[in-house]
Amino acid sequence: MRRSLNITPVPGAAAAEALPRIVAFVEEMAELDDWAPDLVLRSNLILEELILNTLTHGRTSGLSDIEVTLESGENSVTITLVDDGAAFDPLNDEPSPDTDLPLQERSIGGLGLHLVRTMAEDLAYKHADGKNHLTLVARAGA
Amino acid sequence: MELAQERDAGTNVISPAGRVDGSNSAEFHESLMAALSGDDNRVILDMGGIDYISSAGLRVLLLLAQHLGGSATPFAVCSLAASVDEVFRISGFNQIITVFGTLDEAKAQLA
């Protein structure tokens, strides 16, 4: 099954207010296509990190829409995100955090995208037609 | 989100339940800080009831660990679900926060 959801940033609203719709969208797909529980968790995590990142950093740069498309595969989900915010390559434009630093020197910056880049497979980004296009695959039990 | 707490001879065991994401991480932070006491000799966060944590939740755990580290209070987490354990490993949190398999192990070994 293949389904899409459009997220429109709401002026003045916290980015996290978009989360319940994303979770409901994932759970509906998961139920219809019988996803494994860890596939549901991974898909939710990947979408939360990417979409909140876009809503937080893209809204000041003309962002008006994020289109989320999920397509069920064999124990996997292909996720496509297209947004019209400022050009941003989540695979390369933000360095991975140093995950070896001691406790008091650690900061949380960049950890969300690091989780996505590590957990997802077949990641591909391009900027075309004035939009960011990101495709990746979440896989169960990897 | 729900958060149970049990104090026994200076050991503060805090057991949150549910999911920790960007929509409730601020509430999670407040609840955890409110559950601490200056009299705690050590703090154990039993994560057995948490099946989902995003970077927003990791941020709260980092702040808690740094806060307790600042006062040299022994701190550990235990009973991580497989999904939470995966997030811990990818983010390197298992190198900066002590992780035990079970609450009993944490109680017996955290010093």
Side-chain angles (χ1 to χ4, degrees):
Chain A
M1 177 176 294
R2 189 174 190 276
R3 280 191 172 187
S4 293
L5 170 76
N6 285 80
I7 294 167
T8 308
V10 180
E17 286 179 27
L19 275 178
R21 283 186 67 207
I22 299 165
V23 173
F25 177 57
V26 169
E27 283 179 355
E28 206 175 293
M29 278 281 287
E31 191 162 328
L32 289 167
D33 282 350
D34 202 19
W35 295 1
D38 65 335
L39 185 59
V40 181
L41 292 166
R42 275 183 195 165
S43 301
N44 265 318
L45 186 74
I46 290 166
L47 289 173
E48 172 178 344
E49 302 295 353
L50 289 170
I51 292 170
L52 292 196
N53 194 68
T54 300
L55 286 172
T56 306
H57 299 295
R59 59 167 57 195
T60 50
S61 50
L63 177 73
S64 68
D65 178 65
I66 304 173
E67 185 180 65
V68 187
T69 303
L70 302 181
E71 184 167 9
S72 299
E74 188 73 27
N75 291 318
S76 70
V77 184
T78 300
I79 298 170
T80 307
L81 292 166
V82 179
D83 75 75
D84 59 359
F88 176 75
D89 176 357
L91 310 184
N92 294 300
D93 286 354
E94 188 175 275
S96 279
D98 184 347
T99 53
D100 289 325
L101 285 176
L103 174 62
Q104 298 298 344
E105 290 169 36
R106 286 292 296 267
S107 74
I108 206 71
L111 205 49
L113 291 181
H114 176 66
L115 287 173
V116 171
R117 291 190 289 241
T118 309
M119 290 179 102
E121 299 174 17
D122 302 334
L123 303 100
Y125 168 86
K126 67 175 178 188
H127 192 260
D129 307 325
K131 293 181 177 178
N132 296 298
H133 300 254
L134 179 68
T135 306
L136 38 79
V137 175
R139 203 172 293 283
Chain B
M1 77 182 309
E2 289 179 42
L3 192 145
Q5 186 179 23
E6 185 185 299
R7 269 205 184 79
D8 179 21
T11 299
N12 185 359
V13 179
I14 306 170
S15 310
R19 33 182 301 137
V20 187
D21 62 21
S23 70
N24 67 358
S25 60
E27 180 199 342
F28 181 52
H29 187 214
E30 278 176 30
S31 306
L32 285 177
M33 296 311 282
L36 300 180
S37 155
D39 297 334
D40 293 337
N41 294 326
R42 50 183 198 160
V43 176
I44 300 169
L45 187 65
D46 183 348
M47 300 275 286
I50 301 282
D51 68 349
Y52 180 94
I53 188 164
S54 66
S55 65
L58 290 178
R59 177 177 174 276
V60 173
L61 294 186
L62 180 64
L63 292 173
L64 177 69
Q66 289 175 337
H67 176 79
L68 292 168
S71 60
T73 307
F75 169 63
V77 300
C78 68
S79 313
L80 303 187
S83 52
V84 176
D85 183 60
E86 181 182 32
V87 169
F88 257 62
R89 281 186 287 106
I90 294 172
S91 55
F93 268 42
N94 54 352
Q95 295 172 48
I96 52 172
I97 295 176
T98 308
V99 180
F100 289 103
T102 65
L103 179 57
D104 284 344
E105 283 172 28
K107 281 179 173 172
Q109 294 174 42
L110 177 64

